[in-house]
Amino acid sequence: MGISFAEIFAGNCKALGIPAVTVSREEAQELTQLIQEKPYTEFELCIERNTLIVNKQSYPVEINDSRRNSFLKGTWDASAMLSHNMDLIKTKARELPYLNF
């Protein structure tokens, strides 16, 4: 959670399975103060509803639509997707004239 993230950082977070969501500056300050006062506070992120729930209070969050959809569909892990689709990849590679199988 932050007020903004560089594109490369947000992309790296996605690759690691960490949703990088943003909140308003005021909400970030409020949540930062809460964390400092009560560091064991639990945060619940609902990507479906774009909300962060803390102490029964809901905060709106924003996340890039592409990354959000990747988390919702479970397609954020590119390595796992490649491994899972290895047969399709090999089939396609055999069709390409510039690869020798």
Side-chain angles (χ1 to χ4, degrees), residues 9-30:
F9 179 81
N12 287 339
C13 284
K14 176 189 150 196
L16 295 170
I18 302 168
V21 298
T22 59
V23 295
S24 72
R25 183 175 304 280
E26 295 78 20
E27 290 163 338
Q29 290 171 342
E30 180 181 331

Side-chain angles (χ1 to χ4, degrees), residues 4 22 31-32 45 47 49 64 67 70 72-73 78 95:
S4 69
T22 59
L31 292 167
T32 299
L45 177 62
I47 295 176
R49 294 188 301 262
N64 170 287
R67 283 190 283 278
S70 292
L72 290 173
K73 293 177 182 176
E95 296 172 6

Side-chain angles (χ1 to χ4, degrees), residues 1-2 21 23 26-44 52-55 59:
M1 179 251 345
V21 298
V23 295
E26 295 78 20
E27 290 163 338
Q29 290 171 342
E30 180 181 331
L31 292 167
T32 299
Q33 183 176 348
L34 174 64
I35 293 167
Q36 290 172 342
E37 293 171 1
K38 297 179 182 178
Y40 296 103
T41 300
E42 291 187 24
F43 286 54
E44 179 184 341
L52 179 66
I53 302 161
V54 184
N55 293 337
Y59 297 86

Side-chain angles (χ1 to χ4, degrees), residues 47-98:
I47 295 176
E48 285 181 339
R49 294 188 301 262
N50 283 344
T51 57
L52 179 66
I53 302 161
V54 184
N55 293 337
K56 299 181 182 179
Q57 184 173 348
S58 181
Y59 297 86
V61 298
E62 292 185 21
I63 184 171
N64 170 287
D65 284 339
S66 173
R67 283 190 283 278
R68 179 177 179 268
N69 289 332
S70 292
F71 286 114
L72 290 173
K73 293 177 182 176
T75 57
W76 60 269
D77 187 349
S79 296
M81 287 185 61
L82 286 171
S83 293
H84 179 74
N85 291 298
M86 192 54 68
D87 290 339
L88 292 171
I89 293 168
K90 287 178 181 178
T91 299
K92 186 57 158 176
R94 283 188 202 98
E95 296 172 6
L96 298 174
Y98 50 85

